[in-house]
Amino acid sequence: MALSSGLAAFSSLLLTRQLSRRGGAWQTALGSVKAVRRGPRQQHLSSAPSLGAAGASPSRSAVRARAGKREAGIGARGKGDGRNPLLAGVDAEEQETARRVLELADRSLTSFSVLHSSFLSPASQAAIMPILSNMADVSAALSGGYFQAERCRVSVGPTELMTAEGVNLDGSGDATDDALALAAGYPGAVAAVRVSGPFKHSQVSHGDFLGAVLGTGITRDKVGDVILLEGEGAQVIISPDLQDFLLSSLTAVHRVAVSVQPIPLSDLKVSPPRIETLRTVEASLRLDAVASAAFRLSRSKFTDLIAKGDVRVNWREAAKSGVALKSGDVVSVRGKGRCKIGEVTTTKKGRYAVELTRYV
């Protein structure tokens, strides 16, 4: 019996070892299958050090400090949901542009330097400048190259750096030489080139010159205003880092061979706009009523222009002729200039007397 018990114990031990070996093999095989199913990315994640490992993640105090700076500063992002409360009043069309400029302002404070946005439309400028003007420790200026430039870059930086350069921070000024220099914006923010050619007998437009510039591969946000020189060519405001590229790349405009030379901003030839003031009395402040009087068009003709997309109010395309205007609004019509709504008063008969300034 002792021998039988010994043989039974030996068989049991042998069977246990065999099962253990097979189990280990199965575990190894199963682990390989799981690794294949997981794929490379999950294997990488599974092999990453734990949060407690040295250098695996920033300390909690560092994270809190960084978050505190982000919330205390101008903050490119809002709290929690990714939205910035500073952008609450900005139109949806301008939200992304405004967010990028706020991030630029944030970086300018961190690096203690003046930075410049892309060239922005007047609508984008109107959306972002009031926000920047209310921020502490940061100042902004519009850099367009000349007085009353339409497309401008927003130059933003610490207030002490901006004021040290004497730039025009509020957009004020008149057409004097000093004001013209200030209105060019921050020094070095923009550059200018002159495109010359025999255009006296060629019908070339603003679009022809702009199209030729963009045809070189330069994007629209790197180009400012294009100022026509009748019979001679045009002057183009551009981002300084692309000036040399344009000098070598632009060779023709509307099948006319051209030469391109850099020019200082002080040499820009800009004709001051012709200004006409007038007054109209209307039953309402509807767009078609007030603006048709400003441009001396019939209401039906003006309505047709709205339908064609040729009319803009405050730089945005007017969708309806019944939009109510107010003092300070700017109405522009393609090919006919723009007008600004001045003082609005009510007559004894309950009609609206509107002061208008038209820029031709």
Side-chain angles (χ1 to χ4, degrees):
M1 292 182 62
L3 179 61
S4 299
S5 298
L7 290 173
F10 179 76
S11 299
S12 176
L13 177 61
L14 181 62
L15 179 62
T16 300
R17 288 181 176 179
Q18 289 177 347
L19 290 176
S20 177
R21 289 174 182 173
R22 291 179 182 177
W26 278 106
Q27 290 295 331
T28 302
L30 182 60
S32 300
V33 171
K34 287 182 178 179
V36 171
R37 288 181 177 176
R38 277 200 307 251
R41 182 174 182 273
Q42 290 188 4
Q43 289 185 58
H44 172 72
L45 292 177
S46 66
S47 63
S50 65
L51 290 179
S57 65
S59 66
R60 185 174 301 177
S61 60
V63 172
R64 285 179 176 174
R66 194 175 301 168
K69 289 179 180 179
R70 189 161 54 238
E71 292 180 6
I74 61 177
R77 298 178 180 85
K79 299 179 181 179
D81 61 358
R83 292 177 296 179
N84 192 328
L86 293 173
L87 303 179
V90 178
D91 290 347
E93 297 177 3
E94 306 299 338
Q95 286 268 344
E96 180 60 24
T97 299
R99 184 186 64 79
R100 289 198 299 267
V101 176
L102 289 181
E103 290 177 346
L104 195 71
D106 201 356
R107 295 202 306 271
S108 76
L109 289 179
T110 303
S111 61
F112 198 73
S113 60
V114 177
L115 303 176
H116 314 287
S117 73
S118 301
F119 283 95
L120 304 181
S121 68
S124 297
Q125 298 168 33
I128 192 61
M129 290 302 286
I131 299 175
L132 294 174
S133 66
N134 290 324
M135 289 182 176
D137 301 325
V138 64
S139 294
L142 294 175
S143 300
Y146 67 99
F147 181 65
Q148 290 185 338
E150 185 168 300
R151 288 178 60 83
C152 296
R153 303 180 81 180
V154 174
S155 300
V156 61
T159 299
E160 58 187 287
L161 291 183
M162 298 291 286
T163 53
E165 292 291 345
V167 297
N168 186 16
L169 298 179
D170 60 6
S172 63
D174 49 34
T176 63
D177 290 341
D178 290 341
L180 288 173
L182 290 173
Y186 192 85
V190 301
V193 299
R194 179 185 173 110
V195 183
S196 305
F199 291 104
K200 290 184 178 180
H201 304 292
S202 301
Q203 297 294 326
V204 287
S205 64
H206 174 280
D208 292 324
F209 284 97
L210 178 59
V213 171
L214 300 183
T216 65
I218 296 176
T219 56
R220 185 68 178 100
D221 62 343
K222 298 295 184 181
V223 183
D225 287 359
V226 176
I227 308 163
L228 296 181
L229 300 173
E230 190 170 352
E232 301 177 13
Q235 302 160 125
V236 182
I237 310 297
I238 195 169
S239 179
D241 58 321
L242 292 172
Q243 187 181 46
D244 289 342
F245 173 80
L246 190 62
L247 296 180
S248 60
S249 301
L250 184 59
T251 57
V253 174
H254 199 61
R255 297 187 297 277
V256 176
V258 298
S259 61
V260 185
Q261 299 88 25
I263 58 173
L265 298 178
S266 57
D267 286 355
L268 286 172
K269 297 179 180 179
V270 183
S271 300
R274 289 180 293 162
I275 298 176
E276 177 186 3
T277 58
L278 60 153
R279 182 175 183 268
T280 184
V281 178
E282 305 292 338
S284 73
L285 294 175
R286 286 171 55 105
L287 171 62
D288 56 353
V290 176
S292 61
F295 292 96
R296 295 185 173 88
L297 298 171
S298 67
R299 290 182 67 166
S300 60
K301 174 64 175 177
F302 198 83
T303 300
D304 290 342
L305 293 175
I306 294 174
K308 293 178 182 178
D310 291 340
V311 179
R312 293 179 175 268
V313 177
N314 296 331
W315 318 109
R316 294 183 179 86
E317 185 176 323
K320 299 179 180 179
S321 59
V323 174
L325 298 177
K326 63 183 182 301
S327 179
D329 284 347
V330 176
V331 180
S332 55
V333 179
R334 183 172 295 146
K336 299 183 182 298
R338 67 183 65 136
C339 75
K340 185 174 184 178
I341 310 301
E343 184 181 6
V344 179
T345 57
T346 306
T347 67
K348 293 180 179 179
K349 294 184 178 181
R351 296 168 69 85
Y352 296 96
V354 184
E355 302 290 337
L356 300 167
T357 302
R358 184 179 173 190
Y359 301 88
V360 183

